[in-house]
Amino acid sequence: MSWQAYVDDHLLCEIEGNHLSSAAIIGHDGSVWAQSANFPQV
């Protein structure tokens, strides 16, 4: 499974009527491994 699939399929899924509006997996060096389409990068 790719990190992008993990974000899309697991972090943004609905759980007990709640869901995240955006999510990302960021490396220790600040590099983006995966992110949702509406995740704002600063």
Side-chain angles (χ1 to χ4, degrees), residues 7-35:
V7 168
D8 296 337
D9 299 338
H10 297 282
L11 296 182
L12 297 178
C13 68
E14 185 173 322
I15 300 173
E16 297 179 5
N18 299 306
H19 68 277
L20 296 175
S21 58
S22 61
I25 298 175
I26 310 293
H28 287 288
D29 62 357
S31 62
V32 178
W33 292 3
Q35 67 182 19

